[in-house]
Amino acid sequence: MTAMRIGIGSIFQESNQFAGTQTDLALFRNSYVHEGDALLQLAGTDCEVAGILAVCEEEGAQPLPLLAARSVSGGVLTDACYTELKETLLARLRAALPLDGVILAMHGSMVTASQADPEGDILDAVRQILGPDLPVVMTLDLHAHVTPRMVKQATALVSFTHYPHDDTYSTGERGASLLLRTVRREVRPVTALAKVPIICGACNGQTSGDGPMAHLTRRARRLEKEPGILSVSCFQVHPYNDLPGMGCGGVVVTDNDPALAAQEAHALAAAFWARRRAFEVEHLPVAEAVDRGRRVEGGPVLLVDTADCAGGGAPGDSVALLSELLALGLEEPTLLMVVDPAAARACAHAGIGQTVSLQVGYSLDPAWGEPVAVSGSVRRLSDGGFRYDGGLFGGTWASMGLSAVLQIGSIQLLVMSQPTYDWGDEQFRSVGMDVRQAKFIGVKNPMNYRHAYSDLMKAAYIVDTPGPTPAHVRNLSFERMQRPFFPLDEEIPDLEIPVVVS
Ligand SMILES: [Zn+2]
């Protein structure tokens, strides 16, 4: 028997329509864009593509690498960026024919200047090339906005099951295994999607321990052991887009049993609705968080500035927290970070050991606040390169661009030129900022700090700051997402849960 020929592609970004920035190819290239055989260099990383390649090798399938592109979250993709990536993927797909199957590693909440559902658009285009019957599996982030079009066009959808996302590799493995079983005609996947209108921040979305997603995820794993069920995915939709039909729920893939898929997807969505209130979190004014933190013995105490999360599409340029901490006259050693390319250049121009006075903040998305005037000494300069220890970029390199450590009183401020995804403390560590010595650390991620600082943090408080990735969606104005939805509408009488089956 000749080896199965499997096309492998990936265009992965989580977009943010509330951010004032746009995503271009340069932002993708700051993570990676690998065309053709260059994709194979992802083998050995933590990415989905690495898991897919491993399964292909194990099962004697021949990988046909198309394109793998990943970017930190950001504003919507420019049309030029999307067209370039999409056309490259499709051209390589045509050139790779004939194929036995295709697997695409996508996020599911990407948005472009003209496309509300680019993953569905790519599946449409792939189907035009491959026809309706060739198996196509798509892997997705747990924060995907899954659309009926994606369900109809993909043979199966398989998502991350962990948040923080430390299971990207195994998601690639699961997706590839399901694809190869389908190609070998061992199974006939049928997919059902059911959602309820919940749009909540990710702060309570952890999939281990307690919390609503943890309970739902355990339920999904139990369900996967049932006969006839091939895969169960729980989705807590990325809340920072404004699109019709957004919501949380489940995708259930069965072996040729549409009724079972529909029934279990519906039950999962209903379980989401029953647990909706547990997604809401407490957030505090900065002064109160600092006050509480001072009463905690030792450190670090984390001030979770989730409204400026680069991992959720914010530009990372907010100085709301810095500004409030300066006003409070903080004397404890504190680590903060901000993206401000002009400030980084000013620090580099002055040189290490020199004192600079400059305006910092809101240089990329000025809608959310005013820059703040600071004076400090330049402690360190860097070209900004670092390698991720884990997570969905695990094992790959990224760059903060020209960066500086500016000492402003007791505050060490990491000034970067480009936003990067926060997994652990890689960015701080790369420039010698020691999280163990800090009393307070400003972290700009709603979740991954739980992983990064689990052995270290004494307390963590979510602070109420402005930005395009806030802890509470009440701080945003939705226009295209139709009411009613939780939490803006706490009760929805006679809630109907539509189910879409492939
Ligand atoms: Zn995610």
Side-chain angles (χ1 to χ4, degrees):
M1 190 178 126
T2 54
M4 291 176 281
R5 293 171 56 82
I6 304 299
I8 303 171
S10 177
I11 303 173
F12 186 106
Q13 198 220 28
E14 180 182 72
S15 308
N16 184 318
Q17 291 180 305
F18 295 99
T21 52
Q22 288 201 323
T23 294
D24 57 13
L25 266 181
L27 196 63
F28 270 89
R29 291 203 178 102
N30 195 42
S31 296
Y32 58 79
V33 178
H34 298 315
E35 275 188 52
D37 285 347
L39 172 151
L40 300 172
Q41 68 192 268
L42 289 173
T45 67
D46 297 335
C47 303
E48 301 92 300
V49 166
I52 293 166
L53 290 170
V55 168
C56 285
E57 190 179 338
E58 242 173 67
E59 304 204 18
Q62 183 188 352
L64 280 299
L66 309 174
L67 167 75
R70 175 161 276 169
S71 162
V72 63
S73 302
V76 300
L77 274 66
T78 64
D79 284 332
C81 172
Y82 177 62
T83 303
E84 170 81 22
L85 293 173
K86 176 184 162 186
E87 293 307 325
T88 302
L89 179 79
L90 296 179
R92 293 214 172 245
L93 180 67
R94 286 186 205 98
L97 296 175
L99 290 166
D100 297 299
V102 169
I103 184 161
L104 301 169
M106 314 290 276
H107 184 287
S109 284
M110 192 159 72
V111 179
T112 80
S114 315
Q115 292 279 347
D117 177 19
E119 286 89 355
D121 177 59
I122 285 172
L123 281 169
D124 272 351
V126 165
R127 280 287 173 222
Q128 278 181 16
I129 295 168
L130 301 177
D133 299 325
L134 196 99
V136 177
V137 169
M138 183 175 274
T139 65
L140 293 166
D141 191 285
L142 173 153
H143 299 108
H145 168 46
V146 188
T147 63
R149 177 161 67 159
M150 288 156 63
V151 173
K152 294 282 182 197
Q153 294 289 42
T155 308
L157 303 170
V158 174
S159 84
F160 304 162
T161 61
H162 289 186
Y163 184 46
H165 302 316
D166 61 0
D167 68 331
T168 42
Y169 183 96
S170 59
T171 302
E173 287 182 311
R174 289 185 292 115
S177 295
L178 182 54
L179 176 67
L180 297 187
R181 290 175 69 192
T182 309
V183 171
R184 290 192 298 255
R185 300 178 188 275
E186 293 166 15
V187 291
R188 279 188 63 188
V190 175
T191 305
L193 161 70
K195 287 193 275 191
V196 285
I198 299 171
I199 302 182
C200 282
C203 296
N204 270 359
Q206 73 276 10
T207 52
S208 63
D210 205 0
M213 282 301 283
H215 289 282
L216 291 158
T217 300
R218 284 193 285 270
R219 180 190 172 119
R221 299 291 76 75
R222 283 197 301 273
L223 205 51
E224 275 178 341
K225 296 193 175 88
E226 300 286 320
I229 294 189
L230 301 173
S231 170
V232 180
S233 301
C234 295
F235 294 97
Q236 185 194 351
V237 69
H238 170 64
Y240 307 124
N241 284 317
D242 180 11
L243 301 169
M246 285 168 58
C248 298
V251 164
V252 176
V253 184
T254 62
D255 187 6
N256 200 24
D257 190 340
L260 179 65
Q263 173 198 315
E264 294 300 347
H266 185 279
L268 211 47
F272 261 91
W273 186 250
R275 292 186 181 274
R276 65 192 180 283
R277 290 196 171 80
F279 284 101
E280 295 257 83
V281 291
E282 180 191 45
H283 64 172
L284 302 172
V286 173
E288 191 179 337
V290 168
D291 199 41
R292 287 199 197 180
R294 281 176 168 153
R295 282 184 261 137
V296 171
E297 195 176 330
V301 169
L302 306 186
L303 303 172
V304 183
D305 182 10
T306 178
D308 189 34
C309 170
D317 69 344
S318 165
V319 286
L321 184 57
L322 170 66
S323 173
E324 294 218 42
L325 295 181
L326 289 172
L328 288 169
L330 209 69
E331 290 181 348
E332 296 89 339
T334 299
L335 307 185
L336 299 177
M337 57 168 65
V338 68
V339 175
D340 190 325
R345 282 196 301 275
C347 290
H349 184 74
I352 292 171
Q354 301 302 306
T355 299
V356 288
S357 295
L358 43 81
Q359 299 278 322
V360 64
Y362 298 115
S363 61
L364 302 176
D365 193 356
W368 303 95
E370 299 285 331
V372 58
V374 296
S375 288
S377 68
V378 180
R379 288 188 53 148
R380 183 142 172 184
L381 295 168
S382 163
D383 67 1
F386 68 95
R387 187 168 175 270
Y388 283 105
D389 285 346
L392 59 89
F393 289 86
T396 69
W397 286 85
S399 177
M400 310 180 281
L402 175 66
S403 300
V405 182
L406 189 61
Q407 185 85 42
I408 309 163
S410 70
I411 296 173
Q412 280 184 36
L413 178 66
L414 170 56
V415 185
M416 308 167 285
S417 293
Q418 297 174 141
T420 52
Y421 175 82
D422 289 287
W423 173 248
D425 64 345
E426 289 95 337
Q427 287 92 330
F428 284 144
R429 221 176 333 123
S430 74
V431 291
M433 292 167 76
D434 185 355
V435 295
R436 288 165 303 183
Q437 304 296 323
K439 169 68 182 179
F440 291 106
I441 302 174
V443 295
K444 293 187 173 184
N445 192 287
M447 178 56 62
N448 294 348
Y449 69 86
R450 292 177 190 257
H451 145 82
Y453 298 97
S454 60
D455 298 335
L456 209 59
M457 65 180 175
K458 300 293 186 294
Y461 304 108
I462 299 161
V463 293
D464 184 9
T465 45
T469 54
H472 286 264
V473 301
R474 291 187 185 88
N475 293 8
L476 301 171
S477 55
F478 290 84
E479 289 167 10
R480 281 160 286 194
M481 174 60 201
Q482 70 280 21
R483 299 283 292 271
F485 67 85
F486 182 84
L488 271 56
D489 305 281
E490 298 213 351
E491 300 288 343
I492 304 179
D494 308 319
L495 175 71
E496 280 182 29
I497 304 176
V499 181
V500 179
V501 183
S502 62

